[in-house]
């Protein structure tokens, strides 16, 4: 009997040793997968993604795998179901992921120029082709009054600045009219009721190209996602009436529309997009290490992440004190309110 028990103990011991030697990984030694929205999945942002990966690897000692996507829903589902530990996504995407799994937590957001959350915003634009601007004026001022019956391009119905914010703005504006008093977001998702036709760009870049290639009359997209491809041609940054021109050497997908111009008819500030973590997949220790690394002065001054100069291509622009800052779930409540 004693010999039998001893044999069992030895088998368990040997099994443990062999398992360790065979290369089985503990949860803390596995690769960290980071999923990216379509907007940040292009080849032009590869260096920026790789630099983010290096920061994470340096903080945790774990290799980073980048998962690129062509669909918002795929990115949201990937972080929500634990197939990725980290994601960079808009506020609306974060809210949707957290509604699927309340273990999704914000890691950091890029600050505003002040280096704080006070001005941590970017801008949701409604734009038209520069040659069509007279159609979108009321009493000499730019207005969305005449977008009814147009061919309209959104980004994705999971996009904060490419759907959630502009659709809320449109409903707030038109629901004051008896004809549209019962207008709902669902009415804007496809053509036939409010719009003649509705397209989706699947990225902010794609929505802008829908406009500039004449597939859409009006398009929703954000300033930061097209900043690497366009330059201000007339007016003031992020103001209705300002005109932007596609750079002659713009990367895909703007390489098909060089020199084309669009004018803003509506501009709305939006909460900055967060980096988020799935706390079922990522342990608390690594979360804190990554957060500490991201919020460091070293990263704030890393010009591959916060780029300086108009000629540089990157995820974030450094104009003043921009850096990554911590936040919490409650900070995103203003976006949640748009769905109520």
């Amino acid at each position: 009997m004693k010999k039998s028990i001893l044999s069992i103990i030895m088998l368990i011991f040997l099994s443990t040793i062999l398992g360790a030697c065979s290369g089985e990984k503990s949860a803390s030694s596995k690769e960290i997968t980071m999923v990216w929205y379509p907007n940040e999945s292009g080849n032009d942002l590869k260096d920026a993604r790789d630099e983010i990966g290096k920061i994470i690897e340096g903080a945790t000692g774990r290799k980073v795998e980048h998962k690129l996507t062509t669909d918002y829903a795929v990115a949201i589902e990937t972080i929500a179901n634990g197939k990725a530990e980290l994601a960079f996504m808009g506020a609306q995407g974060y809210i949707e992921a957290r509604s699927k799994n309340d273990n999704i937590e914000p890691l950091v957001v890029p600050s505003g120029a002040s280096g704080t959350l006070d001005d941590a915003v970017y801008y949701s634009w409604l734009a038209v082709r520069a040659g069509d601007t007279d159609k979108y004026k009321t009493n000499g001022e730019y207005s969305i009054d005449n977008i009814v019956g147009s061919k309209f391009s959104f980004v994705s119905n999971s996009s904060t600045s490419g759907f959630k914010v502009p659709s809320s703005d449109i409903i707030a504006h038109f629901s004051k009219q008896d004809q549209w008093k019962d207008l709902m977001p669902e009415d804007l998702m496809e053509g036939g009721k409010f719009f003649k036709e509705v397209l989706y760009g699947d990225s902010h870049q794609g929505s802008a190209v829908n406009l500039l290639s004449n597939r859409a009359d009006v398009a929703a997209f954000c300033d930061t996602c097209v900043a690497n491809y366009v330059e201000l041609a007339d007016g003031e940054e992020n103001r209705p009436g300002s005109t932007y021109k596609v750079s002659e050497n713009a990367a895909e997908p703007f390489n098909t529309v060089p020199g084309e111009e669009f004018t803003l008819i509506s501009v709305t500030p939006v909460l900055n997009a967060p980096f988020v973590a799935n706390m079922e997949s990522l342990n608390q220790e690594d979360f804190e290490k990554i957060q500490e690394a991201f919020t460091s002065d070293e990263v704030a001054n890393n010009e591959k992440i916060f780029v300086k100069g108009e000629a540089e291509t990157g995820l974030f622009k450094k104009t003043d004190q921009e850096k990554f800052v911590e936040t919490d779930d409650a900070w995103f409540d203003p976006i949640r309110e748009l769905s109520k």
Side-chain angles (χ1 to χ4, degrees):
M1 185 70 170
K2 288 181 180 179
K3 184 176 180 181
S4 177
I5 293 172
L6 182 61
S7 297
I8 292 171
I9 292 171
M10 287 298 294
L11 283 171
I12 294 172
F13 175 75
L14 288 171
S15 173
T16 302
I17 294 297
L18 288 171
C21 292
S22 66
E24 291 180 5
K25 296 181 179 179
S26 67
S28 62
S29 67
K30 288 182 182 177
E31 287 184 349
I32 291 176
T33 298
M34 176 148 193
V35 64
W36 298 88
Y37 267 3
N39 313 308
E40 290 79 37
S41 289
N43 288 335
D44 57 315
L45 291 177
K46 182 180 184 303
D47 289 347
R49 292 191 302 267
D50 288 347
E51 191 68 14
I52 291 289
K54 289 177 185 177
I55 301 298
I56 298 167
E57 289 177 354
T60 63
R62 298 169 63 182
K63 183 177 174 58
V64 173
E65 177 189 1
H66 297 285
K67 182 175 177 60
L68 310 182
T69 65
T70 57
D71 188 288
Y72 272 57
V74 170
I76 292 166
E77 188 60 34
T78 299
I79 188 67
N81 67 20
K83 290 185 178 178
E85 284 76 20
L86 299 171
F88 179 57
M89 58 204 320
Q92 178 61 25
Y94 159 69
I95 290 166
E96 290 183 20
R98 189 176 171 95
S99 71
K100 295 172 179 285
N101 183 344
D102 60 11
N103 290 290
I104 307 300
E105 294 286 347
L107 181 72
V108 295
V109 295
S111 76
S114 69
T116 71
L117 290 173
D118 294 343
D119 54 351
V121 297
Y122 63 110
Y123 294 90
S124 173
W125 290 346
L126 293 188
V128 300
R129 289 182 296 278
D132 296 337
T133 52
D134 287 344
K135 300 177 185 177
Y136 302 95
K137 288 183 179 180
T138 301
N139 298 322
E141 299 290 331
Y142 285 96
S143 167
I144 64 173
D145 287 342
N146 295 327
I147 66 173
V148 181
S150 65
K151 292 186 291 182
F152 195 98
S153 178
F154 288 113
V155 174
S156 159
N157 58 17
S158 292
S159 171
T160 310
S161 55
F163 181 79
K164 182 61 67 175
V165 168
S167 64
S168 296
D169 287 348
I170 290 167
I171 290 169
H173 181 86
F174 284 94
S175 61
K176 298 171 186 175
Q177 303 174 18
D178 285 343
Q179 180 183 0
W180 303 113
K181 63 182 180 180
D182 297 321
L183 190 65
M184 300 291 289
E186 294 78 10
D187 300 325
L188 305 179
M189 290 182 180
E190 56 184 34
K193 182 171 183 178
F194 185 85
F195 294 121
K196 178 181 179 180
E197 183 181 350
V198 174
L199 299 85
Y200 292 91
D202 297 324
S203 67
H204 289 265
Q205 296 91 328
S207 186
V209 171
N210 277 344
L211 172 70
L212 296 174
S213 60
N214 293 306
R215 289 192 290 270
D217 304 314
V218 187
F221 50 95
C222 78
D223 64 323
T224 56
C225 287
V226 301
N228 293 326
Y229 313 91
V230 305
E231 55 199 50
L232 185 67
D234 184 59
E236 186 180 349
E237 294 279 3
N238 293 310
R239 293 290 185 271
S242 294
T243 296
Y244 291 78
K245 180 180 180 179
V246 176
S247 302
E248 291 297 330
N249 60 347
E252 293 182 351
F254 287 88
N255 61 319
T256 60
V257 287
E260 293 294 326
E261 297 185 351
F262 62 85
T263 299
L264 310 184
I265 63 170
S266 176
V267 177
T268 305
V270 184
L271 295 178
N272 273 355
F275 286 85
V276 308
N278 184 321
M279 299 305 291
E280 285 182 318
S281 303
L282 186 73
N283 62 61
Q284 183 66 32
E285 181 182 1
D286 282 341
F287 179 92
E288 292 173 1
K289 287 178 178 178
I290 297 168
Q291 192 174 63
E292 181 179 2
F294 271 37
T295 56
S296 67
D297 289 341
E298 181 181 359
V299 168
N301 294 317
N302 186 325
E303 294 189 19
K304 292 183 179 180
I305 297 174
F306 290 96
V307 301
K308 297 179 180 179
E310 293 299 322
E312 299 297 327
T313 298
L315 288 171
F316 311 105
K317 294 290 185 181
K318 185 82 166 182
T319 62
D320 194 358
Q321 302 299 313
E322 288 88 351
K323 61 183 179 180
F324 291 130
V325 292
E326 297 179 24
T327 190
D328 57 19
D329 177 68
W331 190 69
F332 299 95
D333 284 347
I335 303 299
R336 284 192 178 90
E337 292 297 322
L338 298 178
S339 298
K340 293 183 179 179

